Amino acid sequence: MKISPLAPTSFPALPVVAGVRLAVGQSNIRYKGRDDLLLAEFTSGTQAAGVLTRSKVVAAPIIWCQKALRKSKTRALVVNAGNANAFTGKGGMASVARVTSATASLLKCKSEEVLVASTGVIGEPLPDARITALLPTLTRSLHADGWENAARAIMTTDTFLKVATRTARIGGRQVTINGIAKGSGMIAPDMATLLAFVFTDAKIPAGVLRALLREANEASFNSITVDGDTSTNDALLAFATGQAKHTAVKSAGAASLAGFKAALKSVLTDLAIQIVKDGEGAQKFVTIAIKGAKSDKAARKIGLTIANSPLVKTAIAGADANWGRIVAAAGRAGEQVVQDKIEVSVGGTLVARKGARVEGFNEAPVAAHMKGSDIRIALNLHLGKGSAVVYTCDLTHGYIDINGSYRS
Amino acid sequence: MKISPLAPTSFPALPVVAGVRLAVGQSNIRYKGRDDLLLAEFTSGTQAAGVLTRSKVVAAPIIWCQKALRKSKTRALVVNAGNANAFTGKGGMASVARVTSATASLLKCKSEEVLVASTGVIGEPLPDARITALLPTLTRSLHADGWENAARAIMTTDTFLKVATRTARIGGRQVTINGIAKGSGMIAPDMATLLAFVFTDAKIPAGVLRALLREANEASFNSITVDGDTSTNDALLAFATGQAKHTAVKSAGAASLAGFKAALKSVLTDLAIQIVKDGEGAQKFVTIAIKGAKSDKAARKIGLTIANSPLVKTAIAGADANWGRIVAAAGRAGEQVVQDKIEVSVGGTLVARKGARVEGFNEAPVAAHMKGSDIRIALNLHLGKGSAVVYTCDLTHGYIDINGSYRS
């Protein structure tokens, strides 16, 4: 597997988050000779919140988390890569029960205080005995660092690990937010993401954490797409250990949370962009900024329709400034668009307005921009104040190579 | 350009349709050394009806047809390939005015009795002088046959021409329906199609013709997809010359139309399937049959979501029976689905039911089926009586090659 040309040149070292300990191991469920199982243990009193896939076909771990997250208190998270435990029926739920029960017994907590997440092939029974056999070893090797190994253990077709970290102040005290994520294909909005986990030592009640997470999710994971395919296993989970000694936080609207909100959104956007940059087969990163729409929601839908258009994505792969495909996609998004009002820019150069190509259009600077790997497309619809920025990648031969033979 | 491996081995010879004369020529707008302009002339009194793209970004010829079709009487159709005359502003409408005016003057009719259609690159001004310069020659060479040449003149990235013909009886008299179409990429529903034209000698008023066309369109062109990209130029136009000597038809519900309706639907479905078989880069033809949905509409949406999934399409390209991606796509279609009730078959073999893979599943017959070029996927949702059949093709390297360099 070649590393994505859009991969970051370095990864930040993630600091310890008080109240979180990690361990990884090799369950050999699908991959050989690499870590594929992550156990994260949380201190007593840790608050959890999540945003889960809205698909009607959901994996067993999602069904489990839907229920377990109602309790808000969490002591552990178990993630396996290589098998999604999705469309596995009652057998899949029994696998989750055995994994959570084994973890609970090792950590001396309740099963419902253990969250689980899986990623990989859909429809194959999860050989959970390989997980439960490994859990005692993992429990003994829990330690407060090892974030890079944790991020690596949850990868599937990812070509690089995804981590992000920020600090913020709440009531004068510094708190840390660490995030890890995986995802490369089957990436589309209307979801949480594939798998993303956020860890903080901030002391934030589950209900408030949930509100902050949902808000930050809209502009980050719900604004990216690789292939328009939503996963059965999409899950964004946040854990707040409460070890930071700041003043109590009562509501999501509290003034003391302003810095934390910004840092959380920054971590999620950072991870979301990393996922796009590791989009299967991606050679170019694409930012699509829509403004002047009737609403933010309309702007995002138009941006995502452009971002999901195979014709736009293949033109970008071929460095072809085929802006006609961009306006064609905008026109079929199902949102209000008046073609004579649309302004289209590519790489900062205005290419079309008043329903036609700009007069005396010089394609040279646009063609030069398209040869780069950081493509910027901007539309002003001149209809209202709605705006959105969405992120995607190009569609290349690599995507077809990866997905034509994923299971074999 | 290699011919699609799914191309038919022979084309039917299309008979004369009384009241229709055709001529083709080389305008050299984009292509060199091939016909790219079609003129069809209709006898006085010919009734026309159309189904046009529902995109908000529409080509100048679509705007023209929207208005001209209100008149119902039509004397001519002019189609050019290589330039879509879309997103060309006032200049594009002026081009249409010049082309229709020149045609009307040659055929001694009104401009609004001339319909136009264009297909090709979006956003480039149409050099209409090359069309009007050729029209006098075309008018002189009009003749009652030449259907194959007509079908060939409207092709863009098509690798084979698309024609279909059927006969039917109305009130004891035989009538003929000929159809021609083009399309290979930017093919998606919520539209009429790319370009499809149907010609009949039946005597059917425009209002009735429109109703028949809309109905037949749902199960044909609105049930296919190549890449989910709707075109700015999609147009399905039907022309009834009224030269057949059958009894008058008053309404779309007339019993005498039963045979004609079936033949019309058969012509459109035949053409629609040909378009999918010429899908850009297509190596495999895919039929997705959904039954047991809450409604026919829900069934079609679920079928099209599966058909548009890049993950499903690339798995098919790779002959991988990755049915997990099929249920994942069904789950995100936005329609009611209960995962424990879904039954999935591939190539006639039941692969999943009761929310999981069938017990003792033997993948061998499914794997063998996936190696073929005629892939059949069937889902029974067990929720209601809604059903739909949709058609698509696989997503291969060829699609990326064609669309990464279309304009250059």
Side-chain angles (χ1 to χ4, degrees):
Chain A
M1 181 75 70
K2 276 204 315 205
I3 290 169
S4 165
L6 307 172
T9 49
S10 67
F11 300 102
L14 268 56
V16 165
V17 172
V20 181
R21 296 198 303 161
L22 307 164
V24 297
Q26 300 183 16
S27 75
N28 293 310
I29 285 176
R30 177 183 166 85
Y31 302 106
K32 306 292 168 205
R34 58 153 275 199
D35 293 331
D36 60 359
L37 187 66
L38 165 66
L39 171 65
E41 180 224 41
F42 308 111
T43 191
S44 175
T46 292
Q47 302 283 297
V51 186
L52 307 171
T53 181
R54 281 186 278 185
S55 174
K56 295 279 197 314
V57 171
V58 296
I62 295 288
I63 297 169
W64 175 267
C65 286
Q66 282 166 346
K67 201 175 160 194
L69 281 168
R70 283 186 217 134
K71 303 268 179 183
S72 83
K73 279 194 194 170
T74 297
R75 290 293 316 284
L77 167 70
V78 181
V79 188
N80 76 282
N83 183 310
N85 194 10
F87 221 81
T88 43
K90 286 177 186 168
M93 289 309 297
S95 289
V96 170
R98 284 189 292 267
V99 169
T100 54
S101 164
T103 309
S105 141
L106 287 162
L107 300 181
K108 305 194 172 21
C109 66
K110 295 177 187 160
S111 286
E112 55 263 40
E113 291 177 318
V114 180
L115 296 182
V116 285
S118 297
T119 175
V121 177
I122 298 169
E124 284 181 17
L126 179 71
D128 58 86
R130 297 187 199 177
I131 295 176
T132 48
L134 194 57
L135 284 172
T137 313
L138 262 55
T139 309
R140 284 192 296 271
S141 63
L142 285 163
H143 49 282
D145 44 31
W147 289 97
E148 183 174 325
N149 289 341
R152 220 176 270 288
I154 64 173
M155 288 164 56
T156 55
T157 55
D158 305 61
T159 74
F160 62 85
L161 61 94
K162 283 114 194 147
V163 293
T165 182
R166 300 287 186 279
T167 57
R169 286 188 171 271
I170 303 180
R173 295 271 181 172
Q174 179 172 297
V175 299
T176 296
I177 307 175
N178 280 359
I180 65 173
K182 65 81 51 182
S184 189
M186 208 177 247
I187 302 290
D190 194 31
M191 56 143 195
T193 171
L194 279 213
L195 300 183
F197 307 112
V198 183
F199 309 84
T200 179
D201 55 347
K203 195 172 178 176
I204 298 179
V208 175
L209 190 61
R210 194 177 306 123
L212 300 180
L213 199 63
R214 282 182 187 281
E215 188 185 327
N217 179 57
E218 281 303 303
S220 56
F221 292 113
N222 269 1
S223 293
I224 64 169
T225 181
V226 168
D227 50 14
D229 263 313
T230 306
S231 164
T232 49
N233 290 55
D234 290 340
L236 164 62
L237 301 174
F239 306 94
T241 64
Q243 299 300 292
K245 303 298 176 202
H246 58 76
T247 49
V249 168
K250 293 276 166 42
S251 82
S256 63
L257 279 177
F260 183 85
K261 275 185 188 178
L264 179 63
K265 189 177 163 185
S266 183
V267 163
L268 296 190
T269 304
D270 191 339
L271 290 173
I273 287 175
Q274 288 183 56
I275 285 177
V276 171
K277 287 189 171 177
D278 203 10
E280 288 169 342
Q283 298 283 321
K284 292 168 192 274
F285 175 70
V286 186
T287 304
I288 302 171
I290 309 292
K291 65 179 188 178
K294 276 285 182 183
S295 67
D296 290 354
K297 199 177 162 193
R300 181 171 297 131
K301 192 166 170 204
I302 290 163
L304 286 169
T305 304
I306 296 168
N308 276 321
S309 160
L311 288 169
V312 171
K313 295 166 91 82
T314 48
I316 292 169
D320 180 5
N322 196 330
W323 60 269
R325 293 178 179 175
I326 296 169
V327 292
R332 68 172 172 84
E335 294 292 339
Q336 198 178 333
V337 163
V338 177
Q339 67 178 346
D340 290 347
K341 294 188 176 183
I342 307 173
E343 280 180 12
V344 184
S345 298
V346 176
T349 304
L350 188 67
V351 298
R353 68 174 163 191
K354 295 186 181 170
R357 199 167 69 184
V358 293
E359 282 193 52
F361 176 57
N362 172 14
E363 190 160 331
V366 178
H369 175 77
M370 295 302 293
K371 290 202 175 77
S373 61
D374 189 4
I375 307 300
R376 284 167 290 121
I377 294 167
L379 270 74
N380 189 334
L381 306 177
H382 289 293
L383 293 176
K385 293 184 173 173
S387 69
V389 178
V390 307
Y391 308 97
T392 191
C393 56
D394 54 345
L395 173 58
T396 71
H397 291 298
Y399 184 88
I400 290 172
D401 286 334
I402 293 163
N403 286 301
S405 59
Y406 178 58
R407 296 193 321 154
S408 49
Chain B
M1 180 73 75
K2 276 202 320 203
I3 290 170
S4 165
L6 307 172
T9 49
S10 66
F11 299 101
L14 268 56
V16 164
V17 173
V20 181
R21 296 197 306 160
L22 307 164
V24 296
Q26 300 183 16
S27 74
N28 293 309
I29 284 176
R30 178 182 166 86
Y31 302 108
K32 306 293 168 203
R34 58 154 274 200
D35 294 329
D36 60 0
L37 187 66
L38 165 66
L39 171 65
E41 179 223 42
F42 308 111
T43 192
S44 174
T46 293
Q47 301 284 297
V51 185
L52 307 172
T53 182
R54 280 186 277 184
S55 174
K56 295 279 197 313
V57 171
V58 297
I62 296 288
I63 297 170
W64 176 268
C65 286
Q66 282 165 347
K67 201 175 159 194
L69 282 167
R70 282 187 219 133
K71 303 270 180 182
S72 83
K73 277 193 191 170
T74 297
R75 288 295 313 285
L77 167 69
V78 181
V79 188
N80 76 283
N83 182 309
N85 194 10
F87 221 80
T88 44
K90 287 176 186 169
M93 289 309 296
S95 290
V96 170
R98 285 188 292 267
V99 168
T100 53
S101 164
T103 310
S105 142
L106 287 162
L107 300 181
K108 303 191 172 29
C109 66
K110 295 177 187 161
S111 286
E112 56 262 40
E113 291 177 319
V114 180
L115 296 183
V116 285
S118 298
T119 175
V121 178
I122 298 169
E124 285 182 17
L126 178 71
D128 58 86
R130 297 187 201 179
I131 295 175
T132 48
L134 195 58
L135 283 172
T137 314
L138 262 54
T139 309
R140 284 191 298 273
S141 63
L142 284 164
H143 48 280
D145 46 30
W147 289 97
E148 184 174 325
N149 289 340
R152 218 175 270 289
I154 64 173
M155 288 164 57
T156 56
T157 55
D158 305 63
T159 75
F160 62 84
L161 62 94
K162 285 112 192 148
V163 293
T165 183
R166 300 289 186 278
T167 57
R169 286 187 171 272
I170 303 180
R173 296 270 181 172
Q174 178 171 298
V175 299
T176 297
I177 307 175
N178 280 0
I180 65 173
K182 65 81 53 182
S184 190
M186 210 178 245
I187 301 290
D190 193 32
M191 56 143 195
T193 170
L194 279 213
L195 300 182
F197 308 112
V198 183
F199 309 84
T200 179
D201 54 347
K203 194 171 178 176
I204 298 179
V208 174
L209 190 60
R210 193 177 309 123
L212 300 180
L213 199 62
R214 283 183 186 280
E215 188 185 326
N217 179 57
E218 281 304 302
S220 56
F221 293 112
N222 269 0
S223 293
I224 63 169
T225 182
V226 168
D227 50 15
D229 262 313
T230 306
S231 164
T232 50
N233 290 55
D234 290 340
L236 164 62
L237 301 174
F239 305 94
T241 63
Q243 300 299 292
K245 304 298 175 200
H246 58 75
T247 48
V249 169
K250 292 279 167 37
S251 81
S256 63
L257 279 177
F260 184 84
K261 276 185 186 177
L264 179 64
K265 190 177 162 186
S266 182
V267 163
L268 297 190
T269 305
D270 191 338
L271 291 173
I273 288 175
Q274 289 183 56
I275 285 176
V276 171
K277 287 190 170 176
D278 203 10
E280 287 169 343
Q283 297 283 322
K284 292 168 191 276
F285 176 71
V286 186
T287 304
I288 302 170
I290 309 292
K291 63 180 189 179
K294 276 286 183 182
S295 67
D296 289 354
K297 200 177 160 191
R300 182 170 297 131
K301 192 165 170 205
I302 291 164
L304 286 168
T305 304
I306 296 168
N308 275 321
S309 160
L311 288 169
V312 171
K313 294 165 91 81
T314 48
I316 291 170
D320 180 6
N322 196 328
W323 60 270
R325 292 178 178 176
I326 297 169
V327 293
R332 69 172 171 85
E335 295 291 340
Q336 198 179 334
V337 164
V338 178
Q339 67 179 345
D340 290 346
K341 293 189 177 182
I342 306 173
E343 280 181 11
V344 183
S345 297
V346 177
T349 303
L350 188 66
V351 298
R353 67 174 164 191
K354 294 186 183 168
R357 199 167 68 184
V358 295
E359 282 193 52
F361 176 56
N362 171 16
E363 192 161 329
V366 178
H369 175 77
M370 295 302 293
K371 290 203 176 76
S373 62
D374 188 4
I375 307 300
R376 284 167 291 119
I377 295 167
L379 270 74
N380 190 335
L381 306 177
H382 288 294
L383 291 177
K385 292 184 173 172
S387 69
V389 178
V390 306
Y391 307 97
T392 191
C393 55
D394 54 347
L395 173 57
T396 70
H397 291 298
Y399 183 87
I400 289 172
D401 287 333
I402 293 164
N403 286 301
S405 59
Y406 176 59
R407 295 193 319 152
S408 49

